[in-house]
Amino acid sequence: GDLANLTSIDYTYAGTLSGTLPRGLCNLRKLQKLQFQFTGGLSGTIPDCLGEDQPRLSGIALQDNVLHGTIPESLCLIGDTLVYLILYENDLSGE
């Protein structure tokens, strides 16, 4: 759907959530907080576009999932608005 005004996604402690993070998250230009933490079943990679055109993004919490691959460089493009980036308890690599 058209979620152009969506500012927050929070699936903290939502039980076992399976699947991958969709690339469509990158289209949410007004997104401020993205939280898929403690789901235990979210897998795949972090989209390489996440944070690229999301200047309001202030928090990303993806800990305690089954994510793998490299931490995308696009997260470095967020800038000074990013207050927290929590990625532990995954199988991620990179700087």
Side-chain angles (χ1 to χ4, degrees):
D2 182 15
L3 302 174
N5 292 316
L6 188 67
T7 61
S8 181
I9 299 174
D10 188 350
Y11 278 93
T12 302
Y13 296 111
T16 302
L17 183 67
S18 62
T20 60
L21 289 171
R23 289 189 63 81
L25 291 172
C26 301
N27 297 330
L28 303 174
R29 306 281 186 246
K30 294 182 180 180
L31 191 64
Q32 295 173 14
K33 293 186 182 179
L34 177 66
Q35 300 186 158
F36 284 95
Q37 49 193 348
F38 308 111
T39 69
L42 197 60
S43 62
T45 60
I46 299 172
D48 60 359
C49 54
L50 191 64
E52 198 168 275
D53 289 320
Q54 296 170 305
R56 299 177 185 179
L57 201 51
S58 64
I60 301 172
L62 302 173
Q63 74 264 28
D64 196 17
N65 286 290
V66 198
L67 298 171
H68 64 274
T70 58
I71 299 169
E73 290 183 31
S74 60
L75 294 180
C76 298
L77 301 174
I78 297 171
D80 294 340
T81 60
L82 189 64
V83 176
Y84 61 88
L85 173 63
I86 307 170
L87 302 173
Y88 68 87
E89 296 296 326
N90 286 291
D91 190 19
L92 297 168
S93 60
E95 297 181 27

